[in-house]
Amino acid sequence: MATTPTSENLRAELKSLADTLEEVLQTSTDKSKAELDNLRVKAEGLLKDTRASLSDTGDKIASQTKEIASKADDYVHDKPWTGVGIGAAIGVVIGVLLARR
């Protein structure tokens, strides 16, 4: 599966969030209240952005899945015997793989 700019952005946001939370946990006793408040605000902002990105990504995946399923359904309706043949071929391959165990 190819990496998209969206997935790269999401990975970067998750890494930034994890780094910020790690910094808060490791240095909470060494920081002043003002510094801890700044880190908390930064972590909350990153968490909000990451949640929004995850939601957007989930919506895109759901939309793409519906589109692919619709195209597959149309294909099988247009060419039913080809669909039966593909299903049978997949069944044979799975059967052979399971029989080898």
Side-chain angles (χ1 to χ4, degrees):
M1 185 167 113
T3 314
T4 63
T6 302
S7 64
E8 287 300 320
N9 292 342
L10 186 57
R11 282 189 188 139
E13 287 180 21
L14 288 171
K15 184 179 181 328
S16 179
L17 177 61
D19 291 345
T20 302
L21 292 175
E22 186 176 354
E23 181 182 353
V24 169
L25 292 173
Q26 289 178 350
T27 62
S28 61
T29 57
D30 300 337
K31 301 256 183 213
S32 69
K33 180 165 176 23
E35 290 173 318
L36 287 174
D37 287 342
N38 287 339
L39 283 173
R40 183 182 54 80
V41 168
K42 180 180 175 184
E44 287 174 346
L46 288 170
L47 182 60
K48 181 181 176 186
D49 292 345
T50 302
R51 281 185 178 160
S53 293
L54 284 171
S55 178
D56 291 344
T57 302
D59 292 344
K60 287 177 185 175
I61 290 171
S63 174
Q64 289 173 348
T65 302
K66 288 178 185 176
E67 184 178 329
I68 290 169
S70 175
K71 287 180 181 180
D73 185 55
D74 291 344
Y75 181 81
V76 170
H77 280 22
D78 291 342
K79 301 177 182 182
W81 287 109
T82 304
V84 170
I86 291 170
I90 291 172
V92 168
V93 170
I94 291 173
V96 168
L97 292 174
L98 290 175
R100 288 186 181 181
R101 288 184 160 195

